[in-house]
C-alpha cells in the first residue's frame, strides 16, 4: 500500500497499470468482443422502422473533417484507461458492471426505438479514413450516442482516479479535453447529430456517477 500512497502520481499510475494486467487485458478484450457482437446484431435487426434524427443549427456549423477520425477512433483506448489505472478488483468489476448496464439500456433503446442520422450528402471517398467507419457502421443506433455515453462514463471515473493518485490539475483537464474531442468527433464525422450527443452525455453522466458512487461505497478509504 505504501507504493500507491506515497509515490508521485505518475509512478502510482504505472504501478496500477502493472497490477493484475493480464486480467485487465483479457477482461477488456472480452467485453469489447461481446459488445460489438450485440451492437451490430441490433443495428442489422431493428424491431421497427428507423427514425431519422433531426439536424440543428449546430450540426451545420460543425464542418466535416478528417482530423476528427483519430479522436473518434481513440474512444476504444480512452474507455480502457479507467480499468488499466485501477488497483482494486472490486472497482474493476463495478466499472464493468455499470458500463454493461449502460450499454444494455442503450442497445434496448436502439432495438425498440431505432434511430439513424440523415444522409450527409458527402462523397466519403474524399475522406478515406472515415470511409472505413461508414462501411462498417451505417449511421444507425444513433440516439443516445453510445460512443458519447462511453466517453463521458470513462471521463467521470478517470477524474476520480486522478484525484486518488494526486495528479495535477492539468492531467484532469487533459482527460476532459480528450473526452470533449471525442464528443466533437462524433458530429464532425457525421456519425451522430448534436441531439444524439446531448442524450449520450446525459446517459454517461448518470451511469458514470451512479457506478462510481457504488464502487466508492465498498472501496477501502473510498479510493479506487
Amino acid at each position: 500500500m505504501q507504493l500507491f500512497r506515497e509515490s508521485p502520481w505518475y509512478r502510482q499510475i504505472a504501478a496500477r497499470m502493472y497490477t493484475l494486467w493480464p486480467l485487465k487485458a483479457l477482461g477488456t478484450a472480452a467485453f469489447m468482443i461481446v459488445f460489438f457482437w450485440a451492437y451490430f446484431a441490433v443495428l442489422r435487426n431493428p424491431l421497427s422502422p428507423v427514425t431519422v434524427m433531426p439536424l440543428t443549427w449546430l450540426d451545420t456549423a460543425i464542418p466535416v473533417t478528417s482530423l476528427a477520425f483519430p479522436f473518434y477512433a481513440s474512444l476504444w483506448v480512452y474507455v480502457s484507461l479507467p480499468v488499466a489505472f485501477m488497483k482494486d478488483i472490486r472497482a474493476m468489476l463495478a466499472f464493468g458492471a455499470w458500463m454493461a448496464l449502460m450499454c444494455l439500456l442503450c442497445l434496448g433503446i436502439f432495438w425498440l426505438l431505432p434511430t439513424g442520422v440523415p444522409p450527409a450528402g458527402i462523397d466519403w471517398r474524399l475522406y478515406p479514413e472515415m470511409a472505413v467507419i461508414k462501411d462498417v457502421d451505417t449511421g444507425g443506433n444513433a440516439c443516445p450516442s453510445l460512443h458519447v455515453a462511453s466517453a463521458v462514463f470513462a471521463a467521470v471515473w478517470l477524474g476520480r482516479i486522478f484525484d486518488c493518485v494526486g495528479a495535477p490539475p492539468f492531467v484532469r483537464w487533459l482527460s476532459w479535453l480528450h473526452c470533449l474531442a471525442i464528443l466533437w468527433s462524433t458530429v464532425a464525422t457525421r456519425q451522430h447529430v448534436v441531439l444524439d450527443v446531448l442524450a449520450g452525455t446525459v446517459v454517461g453522466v448518470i451511469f458514470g456517477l451512479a457506478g462510481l458512487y457504488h464502487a466508492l461505497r465498498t472501496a477501502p478509504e473510498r479510493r479506487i
Side-chain angles (χ1 to χ4, degrees), residues 22-54:
L23 177 63
K24 293 175 180 179
L26 290 173
T28 300
F31 187 98
M32 289 188 177
I33 289 171
V34 172
F35 165 77
F36 278 119
W37 172 81
Y39 179 89
F40 287 113
V42 170
L43 180 66
R44 293 162 183 158
N45 300 281
L47 190 63
S48 57
V50 175
T51 299
V52 177
M53 293 296 295

Side-chain angles (χ1 to χ4, degrees), residues 30-120:
F31 187 98
M32 289 188 177
I33 289 171
V34 172
F35 165 77
F36 278 119
W37 172 81
Y39 179 89
F40 287 113
V42 170
L43 180 66
R44 293 162 183 158
N45 300 281
L47 190 63
S48 57
V50 175
T51 299
V52 177
M53 293 296 295
L55 296 173
T56 66
W57 67 268
L58 189 53
D59 287 289
T60 57
I62 298 175
V64 176
T65 172
S66 58
L67 296 176
F69 176 76
F71 293 104
Y72 186 87
S74 72
L75 172 76
W76 310 114
V77 175
Y78 190 73
V79 297
S80 302
L81 294 180
V83 169
F85 293 166
M86 289 178 191
K87 61 184 177 65
D88 190 298
I89 192 169
R90 288 172 295 185
M92 299 175 207
L93 292 173
F95 179 90
W98 281 91
M99 176 69 85
L101 286 173
M102 183 181 73
C103 291
L104 285 172
L105 171 67
C106 292
L107 290 173
I109 294 173
F110 298 155
W111 187 56
L112 295 171
L113 301 169
T115 49
V117 298

Side-chain angles (χ1 to χ4, degrees), residues 20 51 111 113 118 122 130 154 167 223:
L20 299 174
T51 299
W111 187 56
L113 301 169
I122 294 172
M130 289 189 279
R223 295 168 64 88

Side-chain angles (χ1 to χ4, degrees), residues 3 57 93 114 141 160 200:
L3 178 64
W57 67 268
L93 292 173
N141 290 357
R160 179 62 185 185

